Amino acid sequence: MGGSDETTATGKLIRFAHLRWLVRIIRHPSAILLLVQLVGLLLYPFIEHTRPARALFGAFGVLVLGLAISMVRRTRGRAWISACIALPAVLFNVLDLTMDMPALRPWWAALEAMFYFYAAGCLISYMLADRRATTDELFAAGATFTLLVWAFTYVFVLCQTLQPGCFSAAVNPHEARSWTELLFLSFALLSSTGIGDVIPITVHARAVASLEMFVGVMYVALVVSRLIGLTLLRRGE
């Protein structure tokens, strides 16, 4: 009898621990979105040169879009707007990968950029909605940064599609830049680190790059600094 009671108690503790983790996940969806984005960042370089793997990564992108839509639903944004942008983007991307339709590339790149900008704007509105910094809002700061990086990356893809040769690099300077290279450029510009070897060489690409640098500086100055100030204020209280 004693052994049976101990087993039952252990099972209840395990179920309780699982329930606690589920509650934490529900309370901090921004952390999940940030983690998924970072996993995709590390995964894509291994698969970007093979078509089946790119299709698999497209499915992974659908997961990211779904998480972003769920985040929009928690904020003041409208989920149906984000869904109307995301679904055509995913459809055009799948058609381009499976049927080799490059004419669709500018459309899905523009729609993907619009979606990520919209999701990032909704998260910024969520972080600025009150005068207290929660743990989820701190994760949302990181998730918003990655959403902005992805958004500008798709703008760069759009620029390269409409104006071939608008980006150069130290290695194979005359070739089209891969998505990973443009993502690296976007991280370098938004974070203002200036360590990228991919450079814009046309006036239109440089204008977009300048805009991203401005957005990165203003995001840190207005949003991140505000969250840090509210966190310190809460600790002082």
Side-chain angles (χ1 to χ4, degrees):
M1 291 293 292
S4 177
D5 292 340
E6 290 180 0
T7 302
T8 303
T10 302
K12 289 182 178 179
L13 288 175
I14 293 175
R15 287 194 295 270
F16 180 72
H18 290 168
L19 182 61
R20 288 182 60 188
W21 275 106
L22 181 60
V23 170
R24 289 180 180 177
I25 290 174
I26 294 175
R27 289 179 59 188
H28 305 304
S30 302
I32 304 174
L33 177 59
L34 176 60
L35 179 63
V36 170
Q37 289 280 87
L38 295 179
V39 169
L41 172 66
L42 298 176
L43 176 65
Y44 195 76
F46 295 99
I47 63 176
E48 68 174 337
H49 298 295
T50 58
R51 188 175 294 272
R54 286 173 58 196
L56 178 62
F57 189 80
F60 182 81
V62 173
L63 174 62
V64 175
L65 294 176
L67 287 172
I69 289 175
S70 67
M71 284 300 305
V72 171
R73 292 185 61 184
R74 293 184 70 249
T75 66
R76 295 181 179 180
R78 297 183 180 274
W80 66 269
I81 296 178
S82 56
C84 288
I85 301 174
L87 292 178
V90 173
L91 177 62
F92 291 160
N93 190 14
V94 171
L95 289 176
D96 183 24
L97 288 175
T98 57
M99 303 180 64
D100 194 15
M101 302 174 65
L104 295 177
R105 200 161 298 160
W107 294 99
W108 70 255
L111 289 171
E112 293 264 16
M114 288 174 55
F115 174 81
Y116 281 108
F117 278 127
Y118 181 72
C122 291
L123 286 185
I124 291 175
S125 177
Y126 162 62
M127 289 184 286
L128 300 179
D130 54 26
R131 295 188 60 82
R132 57 187 298 268
T134 63
T135 303
D136 186 63
E137 287 178 351
L138 296 178
F139 283 119
T144 303
F145 186 88
T146 58
L147 289 176
L148 289 173
V149 169
W150 257 250
F152 276 104
T153 301
Y154 283 111
V155 174
F156 293 152
V157 172
L158 177 62
C159 289
Q160 184 171 246
T161 304
L162 298 178
Q163 192 178 33
C166 61
F167 294 98
S168 184
V171 180
N172 300 322
H174 301 294
E175 293 185 0
R177 309 273 55 96
S178 67
W179 194 86
T180 303
E181 289 178 305
L182 295 177
L183 182 67
F184 178 69
L185 172 64
S186 187
F187 265 108
L189 293 175
L190 196 66
S191 62
S192 299
T193 57
I195 61 172
D197 65 329
V198 180
I199 56 174
I201 59 176
T202 64
V203 291
H204 301 91
R206 287 177 177 175
V208 176
S210 300
L211 178 62
E212 183 171 11
M213 286 186 278
F214 174 77
V215 170
V217 171
M218 297 305 295
Y219 177 72
V220 173
L222 299 180
V223 179
V224 177
S225 61
R226 180 180 183 273
L227 288 177
I228 294 174
L230 292 177
T231 303
L232 296 176
L233 179 62
R234 185 179 64 179
R235 290 182 178 179
E237 293 175 350

